[in-house]
Amino acid sequence: MLAEQYPDEIKAIFAKYPVKRSAVMPLLYLAQREEGYIQKESMQEIASMLELDVTEVAAVVGFYTMYHDEKAGKYRMQVCTDLPCALRGADKFMESLCENLGIKVGETTPDGLVTLEEVKCLGGCDRAPLFQIQDGDKVAFHENMTVDKTMELVEALKKAQD
Amino acid sequence: MAKLINLKINGKPVSVPEGTLIVNAAKMVNIDIPVFCYHPKMEPVGMCRQCLVEIGRPMIDRASGQPVLDENGQPKLQFGPKLETSCTTPVSEGMFVITDSEKAQGGQKEILELLLTSHPLDCPVCDKGGECPLQNLTMAYGPKDSRFIFDEKQKADKHVPLGDLIFLDRERCIQCARCIRFQDDIAGEPVLGFYQRGRRTDIVTYSEPGFDSVFSGNTTDICPVGALTTADFRFGARPWELKQAASVCSQCPVGCNVTFDVRREAKAGGGYVVKRAMPRQNEQVNEIWMCDKGRFAGYQYTEAESRLLLDAGALESTLSLAAAKLAEAKSDAVFLAGGRLSNEDFYNLKQFADNLGAKAYLYTQHGGGEFTTAYGLSAGSNLGDLGTGDTVLVVASDLYNEAPLWHLRLKAAAQRGATLIVANARATKLDEYSSFVIRYSYGDEIETVKGLLGKEKIGEAIKNANNLVIFYGADGLGLAGTSALASACAELVTERAGKPNNGLIGVWSTPNQQGALEMGFAPSANLAAELKDKTVYILAADPAGDDPALAEALKSAKTVIVQDILETETTKLAEACPEGRGIVLPAAAYTEREGTYTSGERRVQRFYPAVPARPGTKADFALVAEIAKKCGFELEGRSPLLVMNQIAASQAAFSGVSYAKLAEVTAQWPIIGRSDLFYGGTGYENRQGLGVTLETRPGTVDGLRSAVNALRPKEDELFAVPITKLYDNGTTIVPAKLLAAHIDRFNGIVLNPATALKFGLENGSQATVSLNGVLYPAKVLLDESISTGVVLIPRSFAIPIKEPVAVKLAALVKAQEA
Amino acid sequence: MTHILLRHRDIPDLKNIEVYKKNGGFESLKRAVTAMQPKQIVEEVKASGLRGRGGAGFPTGVKWSFLPDNIWPHYVVCNADESEPGTFKDREIMESNPYQFLEGVAVSCFAVGATEGYIYLRGEYYHIALYLDACIAEMEKRGYLGDKLFGTQTSIRLKTHLGAGAYICGEETALLESLEGKRGQPRLRPPFPAVYGLYGKPTVVNNVETLANLPYIIEHGAAGYRQFGTEKSPGTKIFSLSGNVERPGNYELPLGATFRELIFTHGGGIPNERKIRAIMPAGASSSIIRVDDESFDKVMDTPMDYENVQSVGSLLGSASVIIIDDSHAMDWVINKTIDFFKHESCGKCTPCRDGNYWMLHLTKRIHSGQASENDIKVLDSVAAQMYGKCLCALGDFSTMAVRSAIERFPEDFKVRQA
Ligand SMILES: Cc1cc2nc3c(=O)[nH]c(=O)nc-3n(C[C@H](O)[C@H](O)[C@H](O)COP(=O)(O)O)c2cc1C
Ligand code: SF4
Ligand code: FES
């Protein structure tokens, strides 16, 4: 139950808006914090907190690409391959990442650590190649990347995990 | 009246009220602009972009603020570079709209071509085929061939059950959001939504249990493609094979106008069967909607296997036998008729009873009818007119369950600004829309109503209302309670009697209780005693099934004559009587005959035969006339039209009513049906009559009733009260197989969670209720809004409850544990 | 030149509130709140000629003056959704010069009588939201935000709100829907946000860069601001330069600076001795400017402002200048842009939803060399038939690159028969 897990944060979120419903997005991020995806029970809980129907909450989850309704790797590595990045070699970068990680886009490494995803422009076009790592409700940018630097990062994430 | 705006559409001059959208203005002069997302009952959203037109507006000179004139002295028009959506643009003075130019039609064609790229074009297997807005529009505007490569179409799921009543074909959905918006804005149950986005946008429900809304069927009518279909009609028939019959729903006192679609079927031995029920427009009653109970249980029971049938010879001899018994009994006969009979049936029955000197009772637990005939709504009323300045009071009724369309209409009235006051001992769905919610304890209904004027704001809202309409129901009340409640409510409207949009409405449990009341029927306060040793003639009622005491009484009756359409406990009891003392007469169902019902709003409406009567059955009024004739009393038995003429001649309230009058129609807005379909959906236009509201007859009630003494349960008892659920185990509902799960869900007694806890019970656990010394097992359901001392017992389930009683409750102990 | 917006490039550690203060920080807010009338500020901003930096270039002061006086409360919503491919300017302002930005938001709140301001950031700017929250807390601590500002009755509160991955939420009405807790789909307009905005109340929606200009305008007055830029496009603009250039990045230049100055003087020209083939001055939403030997000088000497970019067949938009060198073909470029728009189409209206889906199939086929002559014609006509019919501008944006590429780079759309 989110209400028991994050009472203070929920209070702070509610204080932000004059209309309850606005809290749905921050609450969904909370719901995604632990498992990296949003379970139906959380949607239900959020719905009842906001006096909405659960379908109204689900409709929000479904619309935005940074909310996930299915489990994936602990870290979602989201590489931008949009035009400006592609002009600076993002497609090649992605290709060799796939080779190095041994997975295709959309797949998760066998240890369940990293899911490789392709995303649209992240707002870091001058520092391509770049990706962000989505970890629950947190996001971190990794810019001016090389395949080597990326593999080092993956190693570090793995270590931190153990 | 709003200001009129003058404009031209395709050169045609049009004057329409300020604020009218172009698409509607065009419709008013018979110019069809293609639409998908727009629906005249909902706010425009401008999503589908199908309704593009060219719009020219008079050029205004900046300096003078005057229109610029051309060489002919006509205002110069300025056309924008883009086409505009006519569904979102209100008319303005001097506007010039072109819907049929190459540019406008080009735009419409282009949108349609885009739309078709996402459509599976599976018309041959589509239920909507033949009545599909998309099909029609494609015929009229569509490209001749597709430039889109069919193989590149996005595949999506078909046959997705959104609930147990509605299926979705994701491929066919064109994302117009009509269904979502209907559920949000009109039904107030936002259980449908979009998931994902862009081309992957899907209709979903995450709600439990699925798409569960009392109004869900309406989404299939307004869906402009075959994406939403009802579970009963899917793959059932092609629309063009169907014949239409106008009817009135028989499930509740609202009297929704419906159309039954009928065809001959091999399965039925080549006979006619009803394939589906759909709303028929009556803006004063149901607009273009109907509830799921009406749609999925409205006619289904008339086709149940347990229909009573006799061959013609046997019918004749049975009628003779019944006549002989009644002739012998004379004033020792007691008639008992249920509110499912038509006005004509009731009239004949009453004439017959009077002739015999017999007593004739209306079979109901809902009293106070004398007040609704005297102070009910009168001619010229329309709940759709209520808004700011008007007040509606709902007492002891759960309209959502008892009369769903009234719930919808009052919700809308409240949203238009009417003051809605809901007084009940528990929460009901209407609370959300009301200005005042009054929560009383069961037993305090009458006191509560009497105290209303003394409350500052509520009293004002009632006293100062331009119009005041009061609905009273039987939530938690029996016959005595409702009678007293009606009296208390009537006091608030007596002065307004006869004024349109004012009056008292009884939320009856049958479609024509009001008609019976108008015809002079009334319930008996002590029925069991009345029946003892008598010759009882029961029509359209199942007293033995409802109440063990009545069953006992019937067993000791001299003769039991039962006339019904279906087998019931009462017909079984009659069958079981010793030779000659039990007689069963098979009646034709209302789908098989003509007649009229009087709705709770006192609107008399005609229903027409949809299918031929089953052999060996006859309409009730005709059966009554035949029996009467055999007793030497001539009654009109040839046609209900002739009976209605007699009614009109003899019953003051019906004066001026005739079948011809009832069949009259006046133009209704919005225009739906017709050939285009895309505008209003597949609901039916009303060509068979809007009905007539009876005049009120104030002053016919003598004296108002006083409250009954509230029952005070003992320490170890609970206060048990009857309530009504939309779907129950009644004879007219159980045959609707699709509703089985719904019925089951509500089948249980309702407790406050704290009460349940006290007895060691939780949601869904089994308990026993001890009522009058009999133990009844029941499932426990919870409701936080009721008080701890009470248990709610739904009518027409397993526990025979008529009125508030004291009961004992215990957790059900399994045999082996005991 | 010195910077108005990217002042942190001139003043080290400007994101430290003390440093910011020492360099005149919060003086504009103080002056506005204590010494000016809201109307006066609106007039000053009108006079400055400041135009919205979110893309459309609408005069900011004029927009503010549309808010009705008889409906309250008013809201300010800052559009920090920045999702146009090739745009990364708002990010730098917020990351490196946050207090000037927040001061600007506060000034706009005061100017329109709003006590609440929301900053809607794209979900990917998670770190910025956290950072701004901390900055807001600093300002509250020092009395630059909160109640009774500078001892007056004025109170202003700012709050951040994170989106969750949807380009369409940059469209102002979709943004408001999103902020209200709904799917970020555009609303019908009219009514415009100035009349019916957040929670149905009058609302100003302005871009980050737009608002970050305000402290300067208050401090130096309209005339001071107008010393930069052109008559119709006053002030400076941050150009986000990306693609095939030596030094991609943000460059704050006066409006009216030329492409040559941006690309060659600041951007260092094209790497690998390649030539410029095309420029997209407004991100993926641009009509593509063709650069070849013939047009090179004309394009390079074109002043980049709201008027002149049109003379080379495009628009300034958000000034996200994407440079494409001659190693790239336009069939590939538009396949990329349509992939973006198809992904970001909200799905609310038919032409954008189904048109982008269709266009993506066509551009894929064309790019893979499988296309017929007819496919190219169909692509052009699908784009044409979408244009002008969509509910919001995203649909129109998606057709820009396609139509201009087919028209201006016919050699890239020859059928390559195997
Ligand atoms: C599809 C679409 C995306 C947009 N994205 C942004 C954006 O990311 N940031 C932004 O400031 N404005 C964006 N806009 C423009 C906004 O709708 C709006 O015009 C702007 O925020 C107004 O601020 P301004 O007047 O300060 O420019 C976008 C518009 C459209 C149609
Ligand atoms: S053009 Fe239409 S589908 Fe596209 S983003 Fe705008 S509203 Fe949504
Ligand atoms: S946009 Fe007008 S009908 Fe859909």
Side-chain angles (χ1 to χ4, degrees):
Chain A
M1 292 288 279
L2 303 172
E4 285 152 24
Q5 260 174 302
Y6 312 110
D8 297 338
E9 275 164 282
I10 291 173
K11 221 164 123 194
I13 289 170
F14 275 111
K16 260 186 164 178
Y17 310 98
V19 175
K20 268 187 181 176
R21 184 171 184 157
S22 284
V24 69
M25 294 186 69
L27 289 175
L28 285 171
Y29 276 122
L30 269 191
Q32 190 164 285
R33 181 177 292 175
E34 287 296 322
E35 295 292 325
Y37 75 109
I38 301 164
Q39 278 135 306
K40 194 170 171 195
E41 297 79 71
S42 305
M43 295 187 207
Q44 249 145 3
E45 191 190 347
I46 292 171
S48 64
M49 276 193 241
L50 303 178
E51 293 171 42
L52 295 175
D53 191 280
V54 60
T55 298
E56 293 174 288
V57 174
V60 172
V61 174
F63 185 80
Y64 299 95
T65 54
M66 290 176 71
Y67 295 132
H68 308 285
D69 57 5
E70 271 173 19
K71 197 161 174 61
K74 165 121 180 67
Y75 301 101
R76 291 171 184 267
M77 182 180 282
Q78 299 166 335
V79 183
C80 172
T81 57
D82 217 337
L83 178 65
C85 278
L87 286 166
R88 303 182 69 80
D91 287 328
K92 283 236 171 60
F93 173 70
M94 183 64 137
E95 232 170 79
S96 38
L97 266 191
C98 285
E99 270 166 36
N100 278 272
L101 289 168
I103 52 175
K104 293 202 211 82
V105 174
E107 291 180 349
T108 304
T109 50
D111 56 1
L113 194 71
V114 175
T115 301
L116 191 60
E117 296 176 330
E118 194 168 23
V119 294
K120 302 297 167 208
C121 181
L122 291 173
C125 327
D126 54 337
R127 302 174 211 180
L130 80 155
F131 56 81
Q132 66 180 4
I133 285 194
Q134 219 195 339
D135 169 16
D137 61 336
K138 292 181 278 298
V139 182
F141 275 37
H142 298 269
E143 303 176 304
N144 292 319
M145 290 308 277
T146 60
V147 175
D148 290 345
K149 275 200 320 200
T150 309
M151 294 313 294
E152 275 166 37
L153 178 74
V154 171
E155 272 314 306
L157 291 175
K158 207 181 278 174
K159 284 230 176 73
Q161 192 73 353
D162 302 331
Chain B
M1 253 321 264
K3 194 175 131 202
L4 284 184
I5 301 287
N6 304 295
L7 69 154
K8 282 191 176 151
I9 305 178
N10 296 347
K12 227 187 218 182
V14 190
S15 293
V16 292
E18 192 171 16
T20 305
L21 298 166
I22 292 174
V23 65
N24 292 333
K27 190 79 187 173
M28 287 170 191
V29 292
N30 280 321
I31 295 172
D32 283 338
I33 299 176
V35 295
F36 283 117
C37 67
Y38 182 70
H39 188 282
K41 285 282 182 190
M42 297 191 273
E43 291 296 313
V45 285
M47 292 165 62
C48 76
R49 318 302 289 174
Q50 185 58 51
C51 63
L52 296 171
V53 295
E54 281 188 82
I55 302 176
R57 295 174 175 87
M59 267 162 120
I60 303 290
D61 182 60
R62 286 235 179 137
S64 65
Q66 293 301 309
V68 182
L69 302 181
D70 65 12
E71 54 276 20
N72 301 323
Q74 291 296 311
K76 257 196 183 152
L77 292 168
Q78 193 162 26
F79 283 85
K82 291 181 180 181
L83 296 170
E84 297 180 53
T85 45
S86 57
C87 76
T88 63
T89 314
V91 295
S92 63
E93 194 62 37
M95 200 180 237
F96 196 96
V97 179
I98 310 176
T99 76
D100 57 0
S101 62
E102 209 168 297
K103 182 169 174 188
Q105 296 215 333
Q108 295 160 11
K109 267 201 183 99
E110 287 173 353
I111 295 292
L112 201 56
E113 185 189 26
L114 287 163
L115 207 54
L116 288 172
T117 62
S118 66
H119 196 77
L121 305 176
D122 57 347
C123 309
V125 291
C126 179
D127 285 316
K128 204 85 168 189
E131 55 177 8
C132 174
L134 180 63
Q135 233 177 19
N136 286 3
L137 279 174
T138 306
M139 282 290 286
Y141 301 86
K144 293 285 166 293
D145 42 33
S146 175
R147 300 182 297 166
F148 184 80
I149 295 179
F150 196 84
D151 288 349
E152 292 180 347
K153 262 188 220 267
Q154 183 172 301
K155 295 278 175 288
D157 298 342
K158 291 173 121 27
H159 323 300
V160 182
L162 287 178
D164 38 13
L165 301 177
I166 309 292
F167 279 71
L168 168 68
D169 184 309
R170 292 199 199 284
E171 285 189 340
R172 292 181 193 151
C173 171
I174 58 164
Q175 283 88 16
C176 70
R178 274 186 180 186
C179 55
I180 298 178
R181 291 181 287 134
F182 172 84
Q183 284 303 131
D184 284 6
D185 303 341
I186 295 183
E189 302 186 305
V191 294
L192 293 184
F194 276 140
Y195 207 68
Q196 308 256 35
R197 67 187 189 205
R199 190 61 202 92
R200 292 160 74 199
T201 306
D202 262 343
I203 303 286
V204 296
T205 181
Y206 266 64
S207 311
E208 294 283 352
F211 184 10
D212 183 35
S213 163
V214 167
F215 305 105
S216 71
N218 296 302
T219 60
T220 66
D221 300 336
I222 58 172
C223 175
V225 292
L228 291 177
T229 48
T230 56
D232 64 339
F233 186 68
R234 304 178 70 235
F235 307 120
R238 308 314 309 248
W240 54 83
E241 308 163 349
L242 300 170
K243 273 210 167 110
Q244 283 76 39
S247 195
V248 174
C249 179
S250 66
Q251 289 287 353
C252 88
V254 174
C256 288
N257 292 203
V258 299
T259 296
F260 290 134
D261 283 337
V262 175
R263 77 165 185 190
R264 273 177 187 277
E265 231 162 54
K267 266 191 287 189
Y272 284 97
V273 288
V274 180
K275 295 303 293 178
R276 63 176 176 184
M278 280 168 80
R280 187 167 51 106
Q281 184 177 30
N282 192 334
E283 288 299 316
Q284 301 181 64
V285 178
N286 55 307
E287 303 178 29
I288 57 172
W289 317 121
M290 70 187 293
C291 80
D292 284 1
K293 177 155 121 180
R295 195 183 295 260
F296 299 109
Y299 66 87
Q300 286 79 350
Y301 68 92
T302 67
E303 296 176 348
E305 278 168 22
S306 56
R307 274 296 293 271
L308 299 171
L309 304 168
L310 275 182
D311 60 54
L315 177 63
E316 186 58 32
S317 61
T318 314
L319 284 169
S320 299
L321 184 60
K325 295 287 182 189
L326 289 168
E328 183 192 322
K330 286 242 164 47
S331 65
D332 238 9
V334 177
F335 291 10
L336 189 58
R340 240 192 307 125
L341 296 183
S342 75
N343 291 319
E344 295 76 8
D345 305 335
F346 279 121
Y347 178 80
N348 268 4
L349 194 63
K350 188 82 170 72
Q351 299 305 306
F352 185 29
D354 289 351
N355 180 266
L356 285 178
K359 295 208 174 96
Y361 293 116
L362 176 64
Y363 181 69
T364 181
Q365 301 303 327
H366 198 163
E370 62 274 33
F371 299 102
T372 65
T373 53
Y375 306 114
L377 285 193
S378 54
S381 296
N382 179 356
L383 297 178
D385 291 341
L386 300 179
T388 308
D390 302 326
T391 297
V392 183
L393 170 65
V394 180
V395 192
S397 178
D398 174 6
L399 286 179
Y400 180 85
N401 276 292
E402 295 170 18
L405 251 294
W406 280 343
H407 166 91
L408 215 60
R409 303 264 286 169
L410 295 194
K411 166 184 177 284
Q415 286 169 335
R416 284 190 301 267
T419 304
L420 179 59
I421 307 167
V422 178
N424 201 313
R426 62 190 174 107
T428 66
K429 285 228 184 189
L430 206 51
D431 294 1
E432 191 184 334
Y433 309 100
S434 53
S435 315
F436 303 100
V437 175
I438 300 165
R439 196 73 83 236
Y440 53 72
S441 298
Y442 282 112
D444 292 346
E445 291 82 0
I446 289 92
E447 291 312 308
T448 304
V449 172
K450 290 200 162 145
L452 288 177
L453 290 181
K455 298 195 178 211
E456 199 183 320
K457 284 192 186 147
I458 295 175
E460 294 284 301
I462 292 174
K463 268 182 281 186
N464 301 341
N466 291 340
N467 296 300
L468 174 65
V469 179
I470 304 180
F471 289 79
Y472 81 101
D475 200 80
L477 295 170
L479 189 55
T482 44
S483 300
L485 176 62
S487 145
C489 290
E491 277 185 72
L492 299 172
V493 288
T494 42
E495 279 170 22
R496 299 166 177 265
K499 192 175 162 215
N501 289 327
N502 286 272
L504 179 66
I505 297 179
V507 187
W508 318 122
S509 57
T510 48
N512 199 30
Q513 171 155 349
Q514 189 64 37
L517 296 164
E518 303 286 348
M519 228 62 76
F521 280 81
S524 157
N526 194 0
L527 198 52
E530 297 267 8
L531 300 179
K532 245 176 145 26
D533 303 323
K534 297 284 162 58
T535 295
V536 189
Y537 182 17
I538 301 170
L539 303 89
D542 181 21
D546 294 340
D547 184 351
L550 291 177
E552 277 313 303
L554 286 176
K555 279 183 196 150
S556 62
K558 202 181 252 162
T559 310
V560 181
I561 307 167
V562 191
Q563 181 171 313
D564 212 324
I565 65 164
L566 294 173
E567 187 174 74
T568 64
E569 291 307 312
T570 310
T571 64
K572 284 188 215 156
L573 183 144
E575 303 275 9
C577 281
E579 184 61 31
R581 286 183 46 203
I583 301 168
V584 176
L585 291 165
Y590 87 114
T591 48
E592 299 159 358
R593 49 165 290 198
E594 241 189 315
T596 59
Y597 287 143
T598 306
S599 78
E601 294 173 63
R602 303 184 74 246
R603 176 176 290 268
V604 182
Q605 306 190 97
R606 279 179 75 173
F607 54 83
Y608 298 76
V611 294
R614 303 281 177 109
T617 68
K618 276 188 180 158
D620 290 283
F621 77 94
L623 292 173
V624 172
E626 290 195 25
I627 297 174
K629 191 171 178 190
K630 289 178 195 287
C631 296
F633 179 52
E634 279 294 334
L635 275 175
E636 184 53 72
R638 288 168 296 169
S639 93
L641 177 148
L642 299 173
V643 181
M644 180 52 79
N645 289 347
Q646 290 187 1
I647 298 175
S650 61
Q651 309 287 307
F654 282 78
S655 78
V657 176
S658 69
Y659 268 32
K661 193 112 200 265
L662 294 174
E664 280 174 13
V665 281
T666 48
Q668 301 195 81
W669 181 262
I671 296 165
I672 66 146
R674 308 243 170 128
S675 58
D676 62 73
L677 296 174
F678 47 77
Y679 183 73
T682 42
Y684 282 96
E685 188 184 353
N686 196 327
R687 302 208 199 93
Q688 301 84 3
L690 300 175
V692 170
T693 306
L694 299 176
E695 295 293 344
T696 32
R697 297 170 295 158
T700 50
V701 187
D702 51 356
L704 301 173
R705 304 280 170 80
S706 59
V708 273
N709 282 337
L711 183 86
R712 296 290 167 218
K714 296 198 207 75
E715 185 98 33
D716 60 341
E717 292 175 333
L718 286 176
F719 189 36
V721 298
I723 59 161
T724 298
K725 287 290 181 193
L726 184 71
Y727 305 116
D728 61 25
N729 271 333
T731 354
T732 59
I733 300 182
V734 169
K737 297 200 181 71
L738 266 180
L739 295 174
H742 287 80
I743 298 170
D744 188 53
R745 205 170 327 129
F746 295 122
N747 187 354
I749 58 169
V750 188
L751 298 172
N752 182 295
T755 317
L757 202 66
K758 218 175 90 187
F759 288 93
L761 297 164
E762 53 189 39
N763 200 29
S765 53
Q766 290 289 327
T768 56
V769 178
S770 143
L771 172 69
N772 297 330
V774 184
L775 286 181
Y776 298 94
K779 185 170 74 183
V780 172
L781 306 170
L782 302 181
D783 178 350
E784 281 174 11
S785 77
I786 63 172
S787 54
T788 47
V790 301
V791 50
L792 312 186
I793 302 186
R795 298 182 171 94
S796 278
F797 280 108
I799 307 173
I801 184 164
K802 287 191 301 183
E803 57 198 357
V805 283
V807 297
K808 286 192 181 163
L809 184 70
L812 183 70
V813 185
K814 291 212 187 81
Q816 62 265 43
E817 285 167 354
Chain C
M1 70 163 263
T2 49
H3 297 92
I4 292 180
L5 302 162
L6 305 181
R7 271 170 80 218
H8 55 278
R9 296 195 177 179
D10 310 324
I11 305 167
D13 205 22
L14 190 62
K15 62 183 180 183
N16 179 322
I17 193 164
E18 294 303 332
V19 176
Y20 181 68
K21 214 175 120 192
K22 255 185 233 130
N23 285 279
F26 307 116
E27 285 303 320
S28 294
L29 178 61
K30 183 173 176 188
R31 179 148 153 224
V33 171
T34 59
M36 291 176 85
Q37 291 300 315
K39 285 250 149 54
Q40 215 183 330
I41 301 175
V42 175
E43 287 312 313
E44 197 64 43
V45 173
K46 261 194 207 169
S48 76
L50 173 64
R51 298 172 64 168
R53 304 295 193 235
F58 193 85
T60 304
V62 176
K63 180 147 92 183
W64 293 0
S65 65
F66 292 151
L67 269 69
D69 266 345
N70 54 353
I71 310 174
W72 296 92
H74 292 177
Y75 289 105
V76 164
V77 174
C78 173
N79 189 340
D81 193 62
E82 189 162 67
S83 306
E84 180 71 46
T87 316
F88 41 86
K89 62 188 181 68
D90 297 341
R91 175 181 169 189
E92 181 171 347
I93 296 174
M94 294 186 287
E95 280 175 343
S96 304
N97 191 6
Y99 291 108
Q100 181 176 335
F101 160 62
L102 293 170
E103 185 178 0
V105 184
V107 168
S108 72
C109 286
F110 181 75
V112 299
T115 57
E116 311 272 331
Y118 288 94
I119 300 162
Y120 185 104
L121 297 114
R122 62 181 300 181
E124 294 84 347
Y125 286 177
Y126 169 82
H127 66 285
I128 304 180
L130 289 188
Y131 183 54
L132 289 181
D133 284 344
C135 295
I136 290 168
E138 286 295 325
M139 285 173 71
E140 282 173 351
K141 224 171 10 187
R142 290 171 170 75
Y144 301 133
L145 285 176
D147 289 330
K148 299 214 159 74
L149 296 187
F150 308 102
T152 67
Q153 287 309 306
T154 302
S155 50
I156 295 171
R157 282 170 209 289
L158 302 184
K159 293 153 191 173
T160 59
H161 180 96
L162 267 182
Y167 167 69
I168 186 61
C169 289
E171 195 285 332
E172 58 188 11
T173 60
L175 182 153
L176 295 174
E177 288 284 293
S178 179
L179 187 48
E180 288 183 7
K182 303 175 190 153
R183 294 164 61 82
Q185 294 187 314
R187 296 176 181 170
L188 266 184
R189 298 186 306 175
F192 290 91
V195 178
Y196 188 93
L198 185 61
Y199 310 123
K201 297 291 187 254
T203 301
V204 158
V205 183
N206 272 127
N207 172 257
V208 172
E209 184 184 352
T210 312
L211 297 178
N213 276 297
L214 296 174
Y216 188 91
I217 294 173
I218 299 295
E219 189 184 343
H220 300 273
Y225 188 70
R226 280 184 172 277
Q227 62 181 307
F228 306 103
T230 70
E231 172 62 27
K232 285 189 174 164
S233 302
T236 62
K237 175 84 193 79
I238 303 178
F239 296 88
S240 296
L241 183 63
S242 68
N244 303 128
V245 280
E246 207 56 73
R247 290 192 294 274
N250 287 318
Y251 296 98
E252 182 180 354
L253 306 174
L255 277 158
T258 62
F259 279 108
R260 195 188 303 274
E261 183 184 348
L262 175 70
I263 299 166
F264 290 94
T265 312
H266 299 285
I270 316 304
N272 309 324
E273 291 170 25
R274 290 220 163 250
K275 284 190 190 165
I276 302 194
R277 180 131 195 270
I279 302 176
M280 300 182 75
S285 306
S286 319
S287 279
I288 307 177
I289 301 171
R290 181 183 176 110
V291 184
D292 52 24
D293 291 347
E294 199 184 323
S295 68
F296 184 83
D297 283 329
K298 176 168 188 258
V299 173
M300 287 307 132
D301 292 333
T302 302
M304 295 182 292
D305 58 30
Y306 292 105
E307 290 72 35
N308 282 301
V309 178
Q310 291 183 41
S311 69
V312 282
S314 197
L315 288 169
L316 183 65
S318 50
S320 334
V321 184
I322 305 173
I323 307 297
I324 300 165
D325 73 22
D326 58 359
S327 66
H328 300 285
M330 293 306 133
D331 57 342
W332 173 77
V333 170
I334 62 169
N335 187 43
K336 277 280 178 195
T337 63
I338 296 305
D339 196 27
F340 171 78
F341 286 113
K342 144 104 192 346
H343 188 260
E344 298 300 339
S345 167
C346 82
K348 186 165 179 176
C349 75
T350 307
C352 173
R353 179 186 65 234
D354 289 337
N356 274 308
Y357 179 80
W358 192 355
M359 288 204 295
L360 184 60
H361 277 290
L362 290 163
T363 57
K364 258 193 200 152
R365 227 181 308 133
I366 292 167
H367 176 55
S368 69
Q370 311 288 307
S372 68
E373 194 114 17
N374 191 47
D375 283 334
I376 294 158
K377 265 198 221 127
V378 172
L379 174 62
D380 191 50
S381 97
V382 170
Q385 87 188 54
M386 288 169 66
Y387 184 79
K389 299 195 185 69
C390 300
L391 180 64
C392 85
L394 188 150
D396 285 354
F397 289 171
S398 63
T399 66
M400 295 295 174
V402 170
R403 298 213 69 199
S404 56
I406 295 174
E407 184 197 324
R408 297 172 190 169
F409 298 86
E411 67 274 28
D412 290 3
F413 294 90
K414 292 254 157 60
V415 177
R416 277 171 266 159
Q417 294 298 8

